[in-house]
Amino acid sequence: FCRRLAADAGRLAHSAFGSAALLPAKGRHDEVTAMDREVERFVREAITRAFPGDAVLGEEDGASADVASAEFLWIIDPIDGTANYARGIAHYCVSIGVLHNQVPAIGVLHDPSHDRLYWAARGQGAWLDENGATRRLAVSPIASLDGATVECGWSLRRPQADYIALFDRMLGAGCAVRRAGSGALGLADVAAGRTEAYAELHINSWDCAAGLLLVAEAGGRINDFFAGGGLLQGNPIVATNAALAEPLAALAGIPLLSTPQEMKR
């Protein structure tokens, strides 16, 4: 159900790719289009019809219930990478994550520009449907910092100096650093072995609920994002391949979980 829903939502979003009018911004560099809201309504209505007892938390319309006590909680980002989307840059996705008793259980991303459907279920691996084929995802085997590529997200929720210091540490250690404008797809790239890590000093749960599980199920390492107020207030994030987990987490200044099984609220 979740895979079909993400794919349908992605196709809906892509119908206005590059032409969706920007609405008044929610904040500086925090853009929204009418299609963000339309896609979220589409996803919420489908979930409510199929699973009327479940709670929903979305970027645009907030929480449908007391999300902290919900057995099943769906976390939606209708368009992750809105700035790219609105400008016709083909790097955005629909992200849907499901928590069961506050633990990530399902994660699905649809990248409609490339018709890539990423999906993971707790304990069942991470997978990519592309070009009519399904393949299992695995993180990169690279074990040298000077061979690593790290995507560092950025937002105004932390001081600019902190991000400059993060980039400086990564570059100083020999890593290549990039930023592509979608945290969800940044995590998918780690899960698919295209990059060695994704780090950001503050990210919201709807941007990463699905991607964190993808990385963990692809054999990577992640931090305890949902600790404390992460669900509603956001937290720092680091997600890495296994071979460079400890040094990359140290460079990010964000401690890792010992195992994916430790994921908790």
Side-chain angles (χ1 to χ4, degrees):
F1 172 84
C2 194
R3 294 198 299 268
R4 288 195 305 270
L5 179 57
D8 289 345
R11 285 188 284 270
L12 173 60
H14 206 60
S15 67
F17 173 58
S19 63
L22 285 167
L23 300 176
K26 293 179 286 184
R28 184 178 163 210
H29 295 297
D30 191 4
E31 296 173 336
V32 62
T33 69
M35 187 56 79
D36 288 81
R37 295 176 178 171
E38 183 174 345
V39 171
E40 183 163 323
R41 284 193 298 269
F42 173 82
V43 173
R44 281 178 177 270
E45 289 169 3
I47 293 168
T48 300
R49 287 192 302 270
F51 302 99
D54 291 359
V56 180
L57 173 65
E59 178 176 13
E60 305 307 330
D61 293 327
S64 67
D66 180 5
V67 296
S69 63
E71 180 182 6
F72 288 98
L73 171 62
W74 297 70
I75 305 177
I76 307 162
D77 192 338
I79 298 177
D80 186 68
T82 297
N84 289 340
Y85 173 78
R87 291 164 174 78
I89 300 170
H91 191 76
Y92 76 94
C93 69
V94 174
S95 173
I96 302 175
V98 182
L99 304 189
H100 180 227
N101 292 325
Q102 307 300 314
V103 176
I106 295 171
V108 181
L109 304 177
H110 185 231
D111 169 2
S113 300
H114 304 95
D115 197 19
R116 292 172 176 164
L117 185 71
Y118 301 88
W119 52 279
R122 187 170 173 81
Q124 297 180 37
W127 305 82
L128 172 61
D129 295 344
E130 183 180 20
N131 298 325
T134 299
R135 66 178 178 92
R136 189 162 190 162
L137 298 178
V139 295
S140 160
I142 286 177
S144 170
L145 286 173
D146 59 11
T149 295
V150 178
E151 181 165 355
C152 292
W154 169 87
S155 78
L156 290 166
R157 292 182 291 272
R158 288 285 298 270
Q160 179 177 308
D162 292 352
Y163 283 99
I164 293 172
L166 173 63
F167 300 157
D168 185 63
R169 292 193 299 272
M170 293 292 181
L171 291 168
C175 302
V177 177
R178 70 192 295 266
R179 178 180 183 268
S182 168
L185 286 179
L187 291 166
D189 283 341
V190 177
R194 301 186 191 107
T195 62
E196 282 59 59
Y198 183 89
E200 188 163 347
L201 300 179
H202 184 277
I203 193 170
N204 289 312
S205 61
W206 43 82
D207 299 314
C208 66
L212 281 167
L213 188 62
L214 283 170
V215 173
E217 290 292 328
R221 298 278 302 281
I222 60 174
N223 69 307
D224 191 5
F225 174 82
F226 289 101
L231 178 62
L232 294 175
Q233 299 170 19
N235 256 334
I237 187 173
V238 62
T240 79
N241 71 346
L244 288 171
E246 298 300 337
L248 285 172
L251 288 169
I254 304 169
L256 293 164
L257 288 169
S258 296
T259 68
Q261 285 68 38
E262 288 187 86
M263 283 188 290
K264 61 185 182 298
R265 178 172 174 266

